[in-house]
Amino acid sequence: MITELLPSLLWALPLLLFSTPAELCMIASAVLLHEGGHVAALLFFGRGATRIRGEATGFRLLPRTMLPYHQELLAALAGPAANLLFFLLTAGISSFPMTVLRGVHLFYGLSNLLPLGTTDGGRALFDLLALCLPLPAAERISRGVTFSLGGILFFSLLFLLLDGGGAYALLLLLTLLSWLFSALSA
């Protein structure tokens, strides 16, 4: 369990060390709302999340029983949808803290839609492909997309880091590496 979480801890450590309590609360609200979206979808389908598994990208809720691909697709998209819905519903509030909170929810929702490894976007891509193609082809294509997009993002972030991008580029690069690590171990 600890070895599975090492990449997550690697990128979370700078976040914990260099974030203010207010920033950590904003991030926690985005994570909790996101996971609440997944739980709501699982409950809608008559399943509950009974286990939580640690992965390189964080934690993953596991339903009591396996879901059909079309339900798993919707459950995977429910988390990012909750963050994006929060972003849209709070659009009229223009205070600075709310603008930052909206940005955190937008970034968290959109970054989870990237089809990389075990992110919600990666899972949704696989489920969508599994509905249309034989399973081996769906696995091959989703891994190909993960490694292609991961490679593009890796070299882009490496360029940003070397070009003076600083700590944020390093944090994003470590996050990407943890996503790719999870894709290799899946």
Side-chain angles (χ1 to χ4, degrees):
M1 174 83 164
I2 291 296
T3 57
E4 294 173 350
L5 296 179
L6 282 178
S8 293
L9 296 174
L10 182 66
W11 68 260
L13 189 60
L15 187 68
L16 293 172
L17 291 176
F18 301 114
S19 296
T20 66
E23 291 168 338
L24 289 174
C25 287
M26 289 181 183
I27 294 166
S29 76
V31 171
L32 290 173
L33 183 66
H34 180 95
E35 297 306 326
H38 292 307
V39 169
L42 290 174
L43 291 174
F44 178 79
F45 293 128
R47 324 273 185 175
T50 58
R51 295 179 299 151
I52 297 176
R53 183 172 72 195
E55 294 184 347
T57 54
F59 296 99
R60 183 171 176 184
L61 293 171
L62 298 173
R64 287 190 184 114
T65 58
M66 293 300 295
L67 296 170
Y69 290 120
H70 67 283
Q71 290 180 355
E72 189 171 332
L73 171 67
L74 294 173
L77 295 176
N83 292 115
L84 298 176
L85 185 62
F86 177 87
F87 175 79
L88 293 173
L89 291 176
T90 58
I93 305 171
S94 61
S95 68
F96 179 73
M98 183 54 80
T99 302
V100 174
L101 182 60
R102 289 180 65 236
V104 168
H105 278 268
L106 179 65
F107 177 78
Y108 196 73
L110 291 178
S111 66
N112 269 280
L113 287 175
L114 290 173
L116 293 170
T118 58
T119 63
D120 295 327
R123 194 68 218 158
L125 175 66
F126 172 76
D127 293 331
L128 186 62
L129 291 171
L131 288 170
C132 306
L133 302 170
L135 226 42
E139 289 174 1
R140 197 171 45 254
I141 291 171
S142 65
R143 279 186 184 258
V145 168
T146 290
F147 290 115
S148 299
L149 181 60
I152 291 168
L153 289 172
F154 176 79
F155 287 109
S156 300
L157 291 171
L158 188 60
F159 171 77
L160 282 175
L161 180 64
L162 295 175
D163 194 42
Y168 289 112
L170 180 62
L171 183 62
L172 291 172
L173 188 61
L174 291 173
T175 302
L176 177 64
L177 287 174
S178 69
W179 280 335
L180 291 175
F181 176 77
S182 71
L184 285 172
S185 62

